[in-house]
Amino acid sequence: MRFFVLGLIVVFMSCKSSNKLITPKDIENFKRKIEHQNIKVTSNFAQPLGINSGVMGLENLLPPGSTIGNINLSGSSNFFIIKKDSLEMDLPYYGQQRMSRGYNTSGSVEFSGKVVSVKKEFIEKRNQYIFKYKVNTNTEMYNIVLTLHPNSSSNLVVNSSHRTTISYRGNWEELKKEKE
């Protein structure tokens, strides 16, 4: 019985939350990095909305460690890059297509170029930046909401004119300046 109680105490002590308090200096560094608008987001998980979970065997097509509502992207190449007023993205898509996009089109969410519009806002209460993009490609339109946190975590929501909405969770980093 003593070992059981001792074991419980050790487990509870080791499970202590590792919440790191964000200091004002951390917030200033965060704001400085975001102001440069030279950022790369890499996603770890995709969360498609509205997947028909009644389809039998669908979960067998997903990568290991995934469920229908939370797809593990470890090992799959994906990126969302902000360079001033341009975006570059290539994100895997899991969801339902609502309208035909024609032949020879990629199944992923891809774009490279200037955006139609962008709104950037710092939410003081939550210490986070929110970017809202409108993007047009030759075949569809995207409304994108990117949320960046000072601990380098990110949330990305992609709403398409032709597909169901999907969100991505991951991390962001400031891109290093290229040598000229």
Side-chain angles (χ1 to χ4, degrees):
M1 182 69 177
R2 289 181 190 167
F3 290 112
F4 178 71
V5 173
L6 183 62
L8 275 174
I9 292 171
V10 169
V11 168
F12 285 122
M13 290 180 72
S14 65
C15 291
K16 180 183 173 195
S17 176
S18 62
N19 290 342
K20 179 186 171 217
L21 293 176
I22 305 294
T23 66
K25 185 177 179 182
D26 292 336
I27 298 300
E28 288 306 313
N29 286 336
F30 173 55
K31 287 180 176 180
R32 180 190 48 77
K33 288 177 182 179
I34 300 302
E35 289 303 318
H36 290 132
Q37 289 192 31
N38 205 18
I39 298 164
K40 179 179 181 181
V41 175
T42 305
S43 299
N44 301 321
F45 290 93
Q47 298 166 314
L49 302 177
I51 281 190
N52 185 355
S53 59
V55 178
M56 298 299 287
L58 190 59
E59 64 279 354
N60 297 330
L61 300 173
L62 300 175
S66 301
T67 63
I68 289 176
N70 197 34
I71 300 167
N72 187 348
L73 299 179
S74 298
S76 80
S77 175
N78 69 80
F79 58 87
F80 184 90
I81 298 173
I82 303 169
K83 289 186 177 177
K84 302 289 181 204
D85 61 348
S86 297
L87 281 183
E88 212 176 311
M89 66 178 171
D90 188 1
L91 301 164
Y93 181 76
Y94 299 90
Q96 295 174 336
Q97 186 170 305
R98 290 186 245 162
M99 293 177 58
S100 174
R101 294 176 27 237
Y103 294 106
N104 298 325
T105 57
S106 170
S108 62
V109 177
E110 295 177 344
F111 178 77
S112 182
K114 299 219 184 270
V115 298
V116 173
S117 71
V118 61
K119 292 181 183 176
K120 179 177 70 169
E121 180 182 9
F122 181 72
I123 309 296
E124 195 79 38
K125 185 177 180 181
R126 295 185 178 166
N127 291 326
Q128 65 185 14
Y129 267 100
I130 296 178
F131 290 82
K132 294 180 181 179
Y133 295 98
K134 289 188 186 227
V135 174
N136 287 337
T137 68
N138 293 335
T139 57
E140 64 189 306
M141 297 176 347
Y142 297 111
N143 287 321
I144 300 167
V145 178
L146 173 64
T147 306
L148 301 176
H149 304 276
N151 67 354
S152 297
S153 67
S154 66
N155 295 311
L156 177 67
V157 178
V158 179
N159 187 357
S160 167
S161 59
H162 290 56
R163 312 181 222 193
T164 55
T165 300
I166 187 167
S167 64
Y168 300 89
R169 284 185 298 127
N171 298 304
W172 67 272
E173 64 184 347
E174 184 178 28
L175 289 174
K176 304 298 178 205
K177 292 183 180 179
E178 297 175 7
K179 294 182 181 179
E180 297 178 16

